[in-house]
Amino acid sequence: ALPISKSFYGVYDTLFATLGQHEEDACANAGKDMPNIPRFGTARAPPQSVRAFYDFWTAFVTAKEFAWCDQYNPTQAPNRRVRRAMEEENKKLRKRVRREFMERVRALASHIKRRDPRIAEMQRIAREEEAAAQAKREAEKLRRQQEKRERLAAYREAEWMTAQESDEEDDIWDDGSSRVENESQFECLVCEKVFKSHRQLENHEKSKKHIENLARLREMLLEDEQLAADFEDLGIAGSIKNAVDPAPTERSAFSSE
């Protein structure tokens, strides 16, 4: 085994520690605030430290001024015009060298990041968490769809029963002039509301809110093919198809729309 100082983590920890020290020296010389420079760390470094390291160095901005690369000495200029020209050329050169230096450091950090086992492990965990979250969302979507189908089925059954009860009530009259109200409660399963009489339920079923809710349930039935495709990988596409594809007698209730 390689010594720690010559391992992947040892080499780059030392390298970036040296670069960080140079930046701190440059800040001190220029009277600037010291930056918080994260270390490369070891194989056991926590994920937040690893992310902080790469966030800093892949967007690295140096504090160095690169005065050493000046091509001209303005103090030797024969006049003011020449001195300004020298200073301008030195400024352009410093800017170019500074930019190239930062690009090299950022490229090195990006190169190491692609090969860092810690990053690979973090990405693997993130993929697993995303897959689990996606599965949870799909399961919740399936539950909601099933709940809607059950509510619609219950509504159809209740609609048939209340219609039958209404026919029976037509034959019952109080003293030959007034109709005897059925004391049962009438429930709209689409809107989850309860009414005291069939007439109230009929009036409710003509309301805008009820029509909108019923339309949403009907639209759900038209999603059967897409729903089956969404859950085909779960091995339950067949059961979904049967659940959202009602029998011909049930479908006929909407055939006129």
Side-chain angles (χ1 to χ4, degrees):
L2 289 174
I4 295 178
S5 60
K6 294 184 179 180
S7 67
F8 174 82
Y9 301 104
V11 169
Y12 289 116
D13 185 63
T14 301
L15 172 62
F16 282 97
T18 301
L19 291 174
Q21 185 60 55
H22 291 171
E23 292 302 312
E24 291 178 357
D25 293 342
C27 288
N29 294 334
K32 300 179 180 178
D33 294 335
M34 293 289 185
N36 183 18
I37 302 177
R39 295 290 297 264
F40 184 73
T42 66
R44 297 181 180 180
Q48 59 269 25
S49 297
V50 177
R51 282 192 290 266
F53 172 84
Y54 286 111
D55 288 346
F56 180 87
W57 289 104
T58 55
F60 170 64
V61 176
T62 184
K64 296 180 180 181
E65 296 181 356
F66 293 90
W68 57 266
C69 67
D70 286 354
Q71 186 174 0
Y72 303 101
N73 184 357
T75 61
Q76 298 178 355
N79 54 56
R80 181 181 300 177
R81 183 179 63 82
V82 174
R83 183 174 69 254
R84 288 180 177 176
M86 289 180 173
E87 291 174 346
E88 187 63 26
E89 288 299 318
N90 288 340
K91 183 178 179 181
K92 291 180 181 179
L93 184 59
R94 290 188 189 188
K95 184 177 180 180
R96 178 175 62 82
V97 174
R98 183 174 183 269
R99 182 182 66 252
E100 291 175 352
F101 172 70
M102 291 190 299
E103 289 175 352
R104 286 196 298 271
V105 173
R106 293 172 184 174
L108 175 61
S110 298
H111 174 80
I112 298 170
K113 183 177 181 180
R114 291 191 294 269
R115 290 157 177 77
D116 194 332
R118 300 171 301 181
I119 293 295
E121 178 64 13
M122 290 164 59
Q123 292 172 342
R124 183 190 66 79
I125 294 174
R127 287 192 298 268
E128 291 180 353
E129 291 177 347
E130 175 57 27
Q134 179 64 22
K136 184 177 181 180
R137 289 192 294 269
E138 295 293 347
E140 178 62 18
K141 179 180 178 181
L142 177 61
R143 186 193 64 78
R144 290 196 302 268
Q145 294 286 357
Q146 182 63 26
E147 184 179 272
K148 288 181 180 179
R149 287 194 297 273
E150 291 174 354
R151 287 175 58 193
L152 182 58
Y155 169 75
R156 287 174 174 171
E157 181 180 358
E159 188 178 51
W160 176 82
M161 293 179 64
T162 53
Q164 186 181 43
E165 292 172 358
S166 178
D167 293 339
E168 294 174 353
E169 287 180 19
D170 289 340
D171 299 331
I172 303 176
W173 295 85
D174 183 19
D175 66 20
S177 60
S178 62
R179 181 179 177 183
V180 177
E181 293 290 345
N182 191 323
E183 295 181 355
S184 300
Q185 290 185 334
F186 298 86
E187 181 178 5
C188 174
L189 295 175
V190 174
C191 302
E192 298 181 348
K193 291 185 176 181
V194 177
F195 303 91
K196 294 182 178 180
S197 68
H198 181 252
R199 188 174 300 279
Q200 289 181 354
L201 178 60
E202 285 182 334
N203 292 334
H204 164 73
E205 289 175 341
K206 297 176 183 178
S207 67
K208 181 179 178 181
K209 185 65 175 179
H210 173 83
I211 294 173
E212 290 176 352
N213 290 340
L214 183 59
R216 281 195 290 269
L217 288 175
R218 288 173 176 171
E219 290 174 1
M220 178 273 297
L221 294 177
L222 301 179
E223 299 176 356
D224 54 343
E225 293 183 2
Q226 182 60 45
L227 184 64
D230 289 343
F231 296 96
E232 184 175 359
D233 292 340
L234 299 178
I236 57 173
S239 62
I240 294 174
K241 175 66 176 177
N242 295 333
V244 299
D245 191 12
T249 57
E250 295 178 327
R251 188 184 295 275
S252 63
F254 304 122
S255 58
S256 62
E257 298 186 9

Coordinates of all heavy atoms in Angstrom, one line a residue, residues 104-146:
R104 N -6.8 26.8 -15.0 CA -6.1 25.6 -14.8 C -6.5 24.9 -13.5 O -6.7 23.7 -13.3 CB -4.6 25.8 -14.8 CG -4.0 26.0 -16.2 CD -2.5 25.9 -16.2 NE -1.9 26.9 -15.4 CZ -1.5 28.1 -15.8 NH1 -1.7 28.5 -17.0 NH2 -0.9 29.0 -14.9
V105 N -6.7 25.8 -12.4 CA -7.0 25.2 -11.1 C -8.5 24.7 -11.2 O -8.7 23.6 -10.6 CB -6.9 26.3 -10.0 CG1 -7.5 25.9 -8.7 CG2 -5.5 26.8 -9.9
R106 N -9.4 25.4 -11.8 CA -10.7 24.9 -11.9 C -10.8 23.6 -12.7 O -11.5 22.6 -12.3 CB -11.6 25.9 -12.6 CG -11.8 27.2 -11.8 CD -12.5 28.2 -12.6 NE -12.7 29.5 -11.9 CZ -13.2 30.6 -12.5 NH1 -13.6 30.6 -13.8 NH2 -13.3 31.7 -11.8
A107 N -10.0 23.5 -13.8 CA -10.0 22.3 -14.6 C -9.4 21.1 -13.8 O -9.9 20.0 -13.9 CB -9.2 22.5 -15.8
L108 N -8.4 21.4 -13.0 CA -7.9 20.3 -12.1 C -8.9 19.8 -11.1 O -9.0 18.6 -10.9 CB -6.6 20.8 -11.4 CG -6.0 19.9 -10.4 CD1 -5.5 18.6 -11.1 CD2 -4.8 20.5 -9.7
A109 N -9.6 20.7 -10.5 CA -10.6 20.4 -9.5 C -11.7 19.5 -10.2 O -12.2 18.5 -9.6 CB -11.2 21.6 -8.9
S110 N -12.1 19.9 -11.4 CA -13.2 19.2 -12.1 C -12.7 17.8 -12.5 O -13.4 16.8 -12.4 CB -13.6 20.0 -13.3 OG -14.2 21.2 -13.0
H111 N -11.4 17.7 -12.9 CA -10.8 16.4 -13.3 C -10.8 15.5 -12.1 O -11.2 14.3 -12.2 CB -9.4 16.7 -13.8 CG -8.7 15.4 -14.1 ND1 -8.8 14.7 -15.2 CD2 -7.7 14.7 -13.4 CE1 -8.0 13.6 -15.2 NE2 -7.3 13.6 -14.1
I112 N -10.4 16.0 -10.9 CA -10.3 15.1 -9.7 C -11.7 14.7 -9.3 O -12.0 13.6 -8.9 CB -9.6 15.9 -8.6 CG1 -8.2 16.2 -9.0 CG2 -9.6 15.1 -7.3 CD1 -7.5 17.2 -8.1
K113 N -12.7 15.7 -9.4 CA -14.1 15.4 -9.0 C -14.6 14.2 -9.8 O -15.4 13.3 -9.2 CB -14.9 16.6 -9.2 CG -16.4 16.4 -8.7 CD -17.2 17.7 -8.9 CE -18.6 17.5 -8.4 NZ -19.4 18.8 -8.6
R114 N -14.3 14.1 -11.1 CA -14.9 13.0 -11.9 C -14.3 11.6 -11.4 O -14.8 10.6 -11.8 CB -14.6 13.2 -13.3 CG -15.4 14.4 -13.9 CD -15.3 14.4 -15.4 NE -14.0 14.7 -15.9 CZ -13.5 15.9 -16.1 NH1 -14.3 17.0 -15.9 NH2 -12.3 16.2 -16.5
R115 N -13.2 11.7 -10.7 CA -12.5 10.4 -10.4 C -12.5 10.2 -8.8 O -11.9 9.2 -8.4 CB -11.0 10.5 -10.8 CG -11.0 10.3 -12.4 CD -9.7 10.9 -12.9 NE -9.6 10.7 -14.4 CZ -10.3 11.5 -15.2 NH1 -11.0 12.5 -14.8 NH2 -10.2 11.3 -16.5
D116 N -13.1 11.0 -8.1 CA -13.2 10.9 -6.7 C -14.1 9.8 -6.2 O -15.4 9.9 -6.5 CB -13.6 12.3 -6.1 CG -13.3 12.3 -4.6 OD1 -13.3 11.3 -3.9 OD2 -13.1 13.5 -4.0
P117 N -13.7 8.8 -5.6 CA -14.6 7.7 -5.1 C -15.7 8.2 -4.2 O -16.8 7.7 -4.2 CB -13.7 6.7 -4.4 CG -12.3 7.0 -4.9 CD -12.3 8.5 -5.2
R118 N -15.4 9.3 -3.5 CA -16.4 9.8 -2.6 C -17.6 10.4 -3.3 O -18.8 10.3 -3.0 CB -15.8 10.9 -1.7 CG -14.7 10.4 -0.8 CD -13.9 11.5 -0.1 NE -13.4 12.5 -1.0 CZ -12.7 13.5 -0.7 NH1 -12.4 13.8 0.6 NH2 -12.2 14.3 -1.6
I119 N -17.3 11.1 -4.5 CA -18.3 11.7 -5.3 C -19.2 10.6 -5.9 O -20.4 10.6 -6.0 CB -17.7 12.6 -6.4 CG1 -17.1 13.8 -5.8 CG2 -18.8 13.0 -7.4 CD1 -18.1 14.7 -5.1
A120 N -18.5 9.5 -6.4 CA -19.2 8.4 -7.0 C -20.2 7.7 -6.0 O -21.3 7.4 -6.3 CB -18.2 7.3 -7.5
E121 N -19.8 7.6 -4.7 CA -20.6 7.1 -3.7 C -21.8 8.0 -3.4 O -22.9 7.5 -3.2 CB -19.8 6.8 -2.4 CG -20.6 6.3 -1.3 CD -21.2 4.9 -1.5 OE1 -20.8 4.2 -2.5 OE2 -22.1 4.4 -0.7
M122 N -21.5 9.3 -3.4 CA -22.6 10.2 -3.1 C -23.6 10.2 -4.2 O -24.8 10.3 -4.0 CB -22.0 11.6 -3.0 CG -21.2 11.8 -1.7 SD -20.1 13.3 -1.7 CE -21.3 14.6 -2.0
Q123 N -23.2 10.1 -5.5 CA -24.1 10.0 -6.6 C -24.9 8.7 -6.6 O -26.1 8.7 -6.9 CB -23.3 10.1 -7.9 CG -22.6 11.5 -8.1 CD -21.7 11.5 -9.3 OE1 -21.3 10.5 -9.8 NE2 -21.4 12.7 -9.8
R124 N -24.3 7.6 -6.2 CA -25.0 6.4 -6.1 C -26.2 6.5 -5.0 O -27.3 6.1 -5.3 CB -24.1 5.2 -5.7 CG -24.8 3.9 -5.6 CD -23.8 2.8 -5.0 NE -23.6 3.1 -3.6 CZ -24.4 2.8 -2.6 NH1 -25.6 2.3 -2.8 NH2 -24.1 3.1 -1.3
I125 N -25.8 7.1 -3.9 CA -26.9 7.2 -2.9 C -28.0 8.1 -3.3 O -29.2 7.9 -3.1 CB -26.2 7.8 -1.6 CG1 -25.2 6.7 -1.0 CG2 -27.3 8.2 -0.6 CD1 -24.4 7.2 0.2
A126 N -27.6 9.2 -4.1 CA -28.6 10.1 -4.6 C -29.5 9.5 -5.6 O -30.7 9.7 -5.6 CB -27.9 11.3 -5.2
R127 N -29.0 8.6 -6.4 CA -29.8 7.9 -7.4 C -30.8 6.9 -6.7 O -31.9 6.8 -7.1 CB -28.9 7.1 -8.4 CG -28.2 8.0 -9.4 CD -27.6 7.1 -10.5 NE -26.6 6.2 -10.0 CZ -25.3 6.4 -9.9 NH1 -24.9 7.6 -10.3 NH2 -24.5 5.5 -9.5
E128 N -30.3 6.3 -5.7 CA -31.2 5.3 -4.9 C -32.3 6.1 -4.2 O -33.4 5.7 -4.2 CB -30.3 4.5 -3.9 CG -29.4 3.5 -4.5 CD -28.6 2.8 -3.5 OE1 -28.7 3.1 -2.3 OE2 -27.9 1.8 -3.9
E129 N -31.9 7.2 -3.6 CA -33.0 8.0 -2.9 C -34.0 8.6 -3.9 O -35.2 8.6 -3.6 CB -32.3 9.2 -2.2 CG -31.5 8.7 -1.0 CD -30.7 9.9 -0.3 OE1 -30.7 11.0 -0.9 OE2 -30.2 9.7 0.8
E130 N -33.5 9.0 -5.1 CA -34.5 9.5 -6.1 C -35.3 8.4 -6.6 O -36.5 8.6 -6.9 CB -33.7 10.1 -7.3 CG -34.5 10.6 -8.5 CD -35.6 11.6 -8.1 OE1 -35.4 12.3 -7.1 OE2 -36.6 11.6 -8.7
A131 N -34.8 7.2 -6.8 CA -35.6 6.0 -7.3 C -36.7 5.7 -6.2 O -37.8 5.4 -6.6 CB -34.7 4.8 -7.5
A132 N -36.3 5.7 -4.9 CA -37.2 5.4 -3.9 C -38.3 6.5 -3.8 O -39.5 6.2 -3.7 CB -36.5 5.3 -2.5
A133 N -37.9 7.7 -4.0 CA -38.9 8.8 -4.0 C -39.9 8.7 -5.2 O -41.1 8.9 -5.1 CB -38.2 10.2 -4.0
Q134 N -39.3 8.3 -6.4 CA -40.2 8.1 -7.6 C -41.1 7.0 -7.4 O -42.3 7.1 -7.7 CB -39.3 7.9 -8.8 CG -40.0 7.7 -10.1 CD -40.8 8.9 -10.5 OE1 -40.4 10.0 -10.1 NE2 -41.8 8.7 -11.4
A135 N -40.7 5.9 -6.8 CA -41.6 4.8 -6.5 C -42.7 5.2 -5.6 O -43.8 4.7 -5.7 CB -40.8 3.6 -5.9
K136 N -42.3 6.0 -4.6 CA -43.3 6.4 -3.6 C -44.4 7.3 -4.3 O -45.6 7.2 -4.0 CB -42.7 7.2 -2.5 CG -43.6 7.6 -1.4 CD -42.9 8.3 -0.3 CE -43.8 8.8 0.9 NZ -43.1 9.4 2.0
R137 N -43.9 8.2 -5.2 CA -44.8 9.0 -5.9 C -45.8 8.2 -6.8 O -47.0 8.5 -6.9 CB -44.1 10.1 -6.8 CG -43.4 11.2 -6.0 CD -42.9 12.3 -6.9 NE -41.9 11.9 -7.7 CZ -40.6 11.9 -7.5 NH1 -40.2 12.4 -6.3 NH2 -39.6 11.6 -8.3
E138 N -45.2 7.2 -7.5 CA -46.0 6.4 -8.4 C -47.0 5.6 -7.6 O -48.2 5.4 -8.0 CB -45.1 5.4 -9.1 CG -44.2 6.0 -10.1 CD -44.9 6.7 -11.3 OE1 -46.1 6.4 -11.5 OE2 -44.3 7.5 -12.0
A139 N -46.6 5.1 -6.4 CA -47.6 4.3 -5.5 C -48.7 5.2 -5.1 O -49.9 4.8 -5.0 CB -46.8 3.7 -4.4
E140 N -48.4 6.5 -4.7 CA -49.4 7.4 -4.3 C -50.3 7.8 -5.4 O -51.5 7.9 -5.2 CB -48.7 8.7 -3.8 CG -49.6 9.8 -3.3 CD -50.5 9.4 -2.2 OE1 -50.2 8.4 -1.5 OE2 -51.6 10.1 -1.9
K141 N -49.8 7.9 -6.6 CA -50.6 8.2 -7.8 C -51.6 7.0 -8.0 O -52.8 7.2 -8.3 CB -49.7 8.4 -9.0 CG -50.5 8.6 -10.3 CD -49.6 8.8 -11.5 CE -50.3 9.0 -12.8 NZ -49.4 9.2 -13.9
L142 N -51.1 5.8 -7.9 CA -51.9 4.6 -8.1 C -53.0 4.6 -7.0 O -54.2 4.3 -7.3 CB -51.1 3.3 -8.0 CG -51.8 2.0 -8.0 CD1 -52.6 1.9 -9.4 CD2 -50.9 0.8 -7.8
R143 N -52.7 4.9 -5.8 CA -53.7 4.9 -4.7 C -54.8 5.9 -5.0 O -56.0 5.6 -4.8 CB -53.0 5.2 -3.3 CG -53.9 5.1 -2.1 CD -53.3 5.8 -0.9 NE -53.1 7.2 -1.1 CZ -54.1 8.1 -0.9 NH1 -55.3 7.7 -0.7 NH2 -53.8 9.4 -1.1
R144 N -54.4 7.1 -5.4 CA -55.4 8.2 -5.7 C -56.3 7.7 -6.9 O -57.5 8.0 -6.8 CB -54.7 9.5 -6.1 CG -54.0 10.1 -4.9 CD -53.7 11.6 -5.2 NE -52.9 11.8 -6.3 CZ -51.5 11.8 -6.3 NH1 -50.9 11.7 -5.1 NH2 -50.8 12.0 -7.4
Q145 N -55.7 7.1 -7.9 CA -56.5 6.7 -9.0 C -57.5 5.6 -8.6 O -58.6 5.6 -9.0 CB -55.6 6.1 -10.1 CG -54.7 7.2 -10.8 CD -55.5 8.1 -11.7 OE1 -56.6 7.9 -11.9 NE2 -54.8 9.1 -12.3
Q146 N -57.0 4.7 -7.8 CA -57.9 3.6 -7.3 C -59.0 4.2 -6.4 O -60.2 3.7 -6.5 CB -57.1 2.6 -6.5 CG -57.9 1.4 -6.0 CD -58.4 0.6 -7.1 OE1 -57.9 0.5 -8.2 NE2 -59.5 -0.1 -6.8

